[in-house]
Amino acid sequence: MLPVGVFANTLAVAAGGIAGAALGPALPERVRTALPTVFGFSSCLIGISLAAKIANLAPVILSMILGMLIGELIRLSAHIEHGIRSVQQKMHLQVGDTAYMEQFTTLLILFCASGTGIFGALTEGMSGDSSILLAKTILDFFTALIFASTMGRFLSVIAVPQCAVMLVLFAGARLIYPLMTAEMTADFSALGGIITMMAGFNILRIKQTPVLNLLPAFVLCPFFSKLWGLIF
């Protein structure tokens, strides 16, 4: 069983980044300004739809609190940003300012660690159903295209970690899914939805949140959800 959805999604990000960088000067400013708003609200909509499936609120909230605490203590976001800058320098690209890095890390989490992407990769790995990732592919292509028109071709590099993350999830799905109860899956999906919604808020500049520091919550959530089910 081939990861059709995974490859389609990552190729869309790479192609969108390259096309956006090439077409950047030709795109009217009003288009580059207006469409990110649509992308931000689309991310919020996807996040809300996933968050609404939550089974148990307490383990999800606990996962987010402890996940953010761990991420802040180990300075996860700062380490990832340092890695991004190192790659930029090795590629002889201009290193962006703080605003650039905030936008880049927001897109990194949106493409690589959104609830839709994680849940979609797991679903395809287990059942072969690629519909979730194919729907995400359309949004990601145009998101990459528009943002690359101002951020440059470096944006397409996100396709590399995105492909790695999704392939690991795809390959591990057969091991992970049998261990997941319906409640654990719902809570995990809801957590991804909340983080995707936060990324949408970042794009809309409603509230800037270091969403990369929340990544440890993905590891904690299944454990807390399982523990909550056993206790209650």
Side-chain angles (χ1 to χ4, degrees):
M1 181 170 56
L2 294 176
V4 176
V6 172
F7 289 142
N9 199 184
T10 53
L11 286 174
V13 171
I18 294 171
L23 296 174
L27 288 175
E29 180 63 27
R30 61 183 182 277
V31 173
R32 286 183 285 177
T33 302
L35 283 183
T37 302
V38 176
F39 301 148
F41 278 113
S42 296
S43 297
C44 290
L45 179 61
I46 292 172
I48 291 171
S49 66
L50 290 172
K53 300 177 181 179
I54 193 168
N56 300 294
L57 188 60
V60 174
I61 291 177
L62 183 59
S63 299
M64 292 178 61
I65 293 173
L66 294 182
M68 178 64 84
L69 180 61
I70 293 171
E72 290 288 349
L73 289 175
I74 65 175
R75 303 181 71 244
L76 181 59
S77 180
H79 290 311
I80 293 176
E81 288 181 10
H82 177 73
I84 293 170
R85 291 181 185 276
S86 297
V87 173
Q88 281 182 308
Q89 291 173 339
K90 290 179 180 179
M91 294 179 66
H92 305 291
L93 296 173
Q94 183 178 358
V95 178
D97 56 15
T98 301
Y100 180 98
M101 292 306 299
E102 287 179 354
Q103 195 170 55
F104 188 91
T105 53
T106 295
L107 293 172
L108 182 70
I109 194 76
L110 189 64
F111 290 140
C112 300
S114 69
T116 310
I118 292 173
F119 191 63
L122 288 171
T123 299
E124 185 177 24
M126 186 63 184
S127 65
D129 180 10
S130 59
S131 60
I132 297 174
L133 288 181
L134 291 179
K136 182 175 179 290
T137 294
I138 299 172
L139 177 62
D140 284 359
F141 173 78
F142 287 102
T143 302
L145 187 149
I146 293 299
F147 280 99
S149 68
T150 56
M151 297 176 66
R153 67 184 186 278
F154 182 68
L155 182 64
S156 61
V157 173
I158 290 180
V160 177
Q162 181 192 32
C163 186
V165 169
M166 287 189 173
L167 284 177
V168 168
L169 291 170
F170 178 88
R174 294 185 181 277
L175 298 176
I176 296 172
Y177 255 58
L179 302 176
M180 299 279 283
T181 64
E183 290 76 15
M184 291 168 66
T185 301
D187 291 343
F188 185 83
S189 179
L191 172 64
I194 295 170
I195 294 177
T196 300
M197 188 161 46
M198 287 180 174
F201 284 170
N202 283 355
I203 293 175
L204 294 170
R205 299 195 178 279
I206 294 175
K207 172 64 178 177
Q208 295 298 312
T209 305
V211 286
L212 287 176
N213 285 337
L214 273 169
L215 290 181
F218 280 115
V219 179
L220 299 174
C221 186
F223 171 75
F224 287 140
S225 183
K226 179 67 174 180
L227 186 62
W228 183 267
L230 291 175
I231 296 175
F232 298 99

